[in-house]
């Protein structure tokens, strides 16, 4: 089952903050975050694991609430280079790695 | 280190034909995932192969199939092509396990006419 992302799209001015949310109806082993720029392949940002372990970019922060089966990605002081589509992925168990429909982020100067 | 490579980059087929897409994972990665990316639908999970076996498949009809070879490369076959199969097909590879990141190829753009 696909995780659900919100919002579907965000438009920000450079320097503003954004939060992207991801929720799942199934128990989560891990949450993955990826960013895809137009015409490019998705690129890994971060993995959050049960127990609080994280692995990924230093400049990006995220949270993982195991009980609520939710994760949030925090983008602070946004830069033009943050524009793209953000995907959260859930898996690591027997189901593999499935992604949500994505959140489109547009940063304006 | 070479990344995930997919071939061909573009593929144009006629409705009813068969398409074969190929993926070479990063050296050492045993898991290969296939995703369909159609406009507005995000990354739709198609198939997951690991150690040569199909581990899971998404909600797609049986005419979408594939296999993984002993060198962990993979092939996606789509039979009886339909117009709505037109999409970008992405392959990703990773080490098996919940705490390993996936690396994506540049994709194959399949157009069915």
């Amino acid at each position: 089952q696909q995780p659900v992302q919100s919002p579907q799209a965000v438009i920000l001015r450079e320097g503003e903050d954004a939060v992207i949310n991801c929720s799942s109806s199934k128990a989560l082993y891990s949450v993955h975050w990826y960013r895809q720029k137009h015409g490019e392949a998705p690129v890994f940002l971060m993995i959050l694991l049960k127990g609080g372990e994280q692995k990924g970019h230093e400049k990006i922060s995220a949270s993982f609430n195991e009980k609520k089966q939710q994760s949030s990605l925090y983008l602070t002081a946004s830069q033009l280079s943050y524009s793209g589509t953000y995907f959260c992925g859930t898996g690591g168990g027997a189901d593999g790695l499935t992604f949500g429909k994505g959140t489109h982020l547009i940063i304006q100067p | 280190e070479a990344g995930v490579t997919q071939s061909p980059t573009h593929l144009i087929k006629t409705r009813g034909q068969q398409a074969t897409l190929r993926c070479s994972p990063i050296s050492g990665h045993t898991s290969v995932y296939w995703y369909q990316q159609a406009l507005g639908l995000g990354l739709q999970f198609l198939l997951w192969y690991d150690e040569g076996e199909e581990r899971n498949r998404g909600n797609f009809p049986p005419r979408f199939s594939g296999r993984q070879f002993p060198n962990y490369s993979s092939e996606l076959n789509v039979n009886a092509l339909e117009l709505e199969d037109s999409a970008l097909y992405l392959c990703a590879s990773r080490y098996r396990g919940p705490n390993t990141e996936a690396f994506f190829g540049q994709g194959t753009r399949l157009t069915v006419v």
Side-chain angles (χ1 to χ4, degrees):
Chain A
Q1 184 132 11
Q2 268 186 313
V4 176
Q5 290 185 233
S6 64
Q8 288 185 327
V10 183
I11 300 175
L12 299 175
R13 293 276 182 201
E14 206 173 358
E16 292 182 336
D17 302 337
V19 180
I20 300 172
N21 301 303
C22 174
S23 64
S24 174
S25 59
K26 298 176 71 172
L28 299 176
Y29 292 94
S30 61
V31 177
H32 301 229
W33 287 97
Y34 291 76
R35 178 173 60 212
Q36 184 180 31
K37 292 183 177 290
H38 183 70
E40 299 180 8
V43 173
F44 167 76
L45 294 176
M46 177 170 283
I47 292 176
L48 301 102
L49 304 173
K50 290 177 73 170
E53 184 180 347
Q54 296 185 3
K55 185 166 83 168
H57 280 248
E58 295 178 1
K59 293 187 178 180
I60 292 177
S61 64
S63 64
F64 180 19
N65 187 320
E66 298 167 33
K67 286 186 179 179
K68 292 185 178 180
Q69 296 165 188
Q70 295 175 345
S71 176
S72 294
L73 186 70
Y74 305 97
L75 301 167
T76 57
S78 59
Q79 304 171 18
L80 294 175
S81 62
Y82 288 7
S83 291
T85 302
Y86 288 77
F87 292 99
C88 81
T90 58
D95 293 339
L97 184 57
T98 56
F99 291 92
K101 291 186 177 182
T103 295
H104 302 284
L105 178 64
I106 298 172
I107 310 295
Q108 296 177 336
Chain B
E1 179 182 302
V4 178
T5 56
Q6 292 187 243
S7 63
T9 307
H10 294 85
L11 191 57
I12 300 175
K13 291 285 186 178
T14 304
R15 189 170 50 184
Q17 284 187 315
Q18 179 196 33
T20 298
L21 288 64
R22 296 179 177 83
C23 172
S24 293
I26 288 173
S27 178
H29 288 187
T30 61
S31 276
V32 171
Y33 297 81
W34 286 96
Y35 298 92
Q36 183 194 66
Q37 188 170 35
L39 194 62
L41 295 180
L43 295 168
Q44 298 285 309
F45 169 65
L46 267 166
L47 289 159
W48 171 30
Y49 292 96
D50 184 73
E51 297 283 358
E53 293 192 14
E54 183 180 303
R55 300 294 181 178
N56 199 16
R57 65 178 293 129
N59 190 24
F60 281 83
R63 58 190 185 82
F64 287 84
S65 65
R67 54 181 171 166
Q68 187 177 35
F69 299 98
N71 65 354
Y72 303 121
S73 66
S74 178
E75 197 173 84
L76 174 68
N77 295 295
V78 188
N79 294 320
L81 285 165
E82 300 178 2
L83 296 177
E84 51 265 35
D85 295 335
S86 295
L88 180 68
Y89 289 83
L90 289 164
C91 165
S93 76
R94 65 193 285 220
Y95 293 109
R96 193 176 186 186
N99 60 340
T100 62
E101 62 263 44
F103 294 84
F104 284 82
Q106 292 299 314
T108 293
R109 173 72 62 185
L110 174 63
T111 303
V112 183
V113 298

